[in-house]
Amino acid sequence: DFTHQLRRELDFRELWCGDDFAFGCGREGDVDWLRERSGEFGFELHVVAPVQQQGGVISSSRLRGHIRSGEVAAAMSCLGRPLRIPGTVEPGAGRGRSIGVPTANLAVWEERARPATGVYAAFALLEEESYYAVVNVGLRPTFEDVDLVTIEAHLLDFSGDLYGQRLTLDFIARLRAERKFDHAQALGVQIKTDVNAARALLTEPENQWYLTEQSTCCAQVT
């Protein structure tokens, strides 16, 4: 009955799935069931073989594990692209600007997978431009004691007002774990170290493919 409803409402002609796909009560709608009934329901079934990497299958659970652990480079290897988190820049407390490191605070969909707390090197996409960025995913322990994860990005070599704009972050590597500092000045010193580390990493030849690819994409769009 459920499959009849899907065909009627969606009018799909092809169904693509993995070899372990199943749906319905008790997962009875498995690949064998679909293969036997594809003619009856009028669709063509395509079963995609699992992709192996380093002796394991690339799966959504594996990807979520890498992301939860902050292993964004491993996630990028599985995805074939960086982990991407888009959001809208919203006003923050302004503490970054007070220590000379202004940050863009992202309002992100709550259900979106996000990396473990820590500091990351990333590329930031703003309209058709790409920037190097240092991103903090965390609880801001130096200033606050709340259970609210925030995503803040400091765009290198950028100045301007980002409030209300759409900003996309592509995570390349984890620089360090989040930690609490005794005072804001100590945090500011560490952030400058993070900025230097991010710039060195993002300008390495193996990461320049990203800028080339983004330029090509923008040229195609325009």
Side-chain angles (χ1 to χ4, degrees), residues 20 53-54 79 81 120 136 141 147 150 152 195 221:
D20 61 347
Q53 184 191 69
Q54 298 176 347
L79 288 167
R81 59 171 177 80
Y120 297 85
N136 183 78
D147 188 22
T150 61
E152 302 174 88
V195 166
V221 170

Side-chain angles (χ1 to χ4, degrees), residues 38-192:
S38 60
E40 171 190 344
F41 288 105
F43 64 83
E44 185 177 350
L45 179 66
H46 302 271
V47 181
V48 181
V51 178
Q52 300 279 339
Q53 184 191 69
Q54 298 176 347
V57 174
I58 296 179
S59 63
S60 58
S61 57
R62 177 178 173 181
L63 280 166
R64 285 192 294 269
H66 285 320
I67 294 169
R68 280 195 299 267
S69 300
E71 300 165 352
V72 295
M76 178 167 58
S77 178
C78 290
L79 288 167
R81 59 171 177 80
L83 170 69
R84 172 167 289 188
I85 297 184
T88 303
V89 180
E90 61 181 3
R95 295 191 181 94
R97 189 175 301 277
S98 69
I99 58 175
V101 189
T103 59
N105 299 271
L106 258 64
V108 176
W109 181 45
E110 292 183 2
E111 300 301 321
R112 179 174 290 276
R114 63 190 68 188
T117 58
V119 178
Y120 297 85
F123 287 104
L125 281 70
L126 180 64
E127 295 181 344
E128 296 179 2
E129 297 293 331
S130 298
Y131 297 89
Y132 302 137
V134 176
V135 181
N136 183 78
V137 180
L139 304 172
R140 295 183 284 202
T142 301
F143 300 107
E144 299 169 306
D145 186 19
V146 296
D147 188 22
L148 177 63
V149 175
T150 61
I151 299 180
E152 302 174 88
H154 172 63
L155 276 59
L156 280 59
D157 307 319
F158 174 85
S159 61
D161 185 357
L162 293 174
Y163 292 147
Q165 296 193 52
R166 186 75 165 173
L167 184 67
T168 299
L169 301 176
D170 282 354
F171 289 77
I172 302 300
R174 190 171 192 245
L175 299 177
R176 63 175 176 86
E178 184 180 49
R179 63 189 180 95
K180 185 173 183 177
F181 294 86
D182 294 333
H183 46 75
Q185 288 73 19
L187 173 60
V189 171
Q190 179 61 57
I191 291 176
K192 291 177 181 177

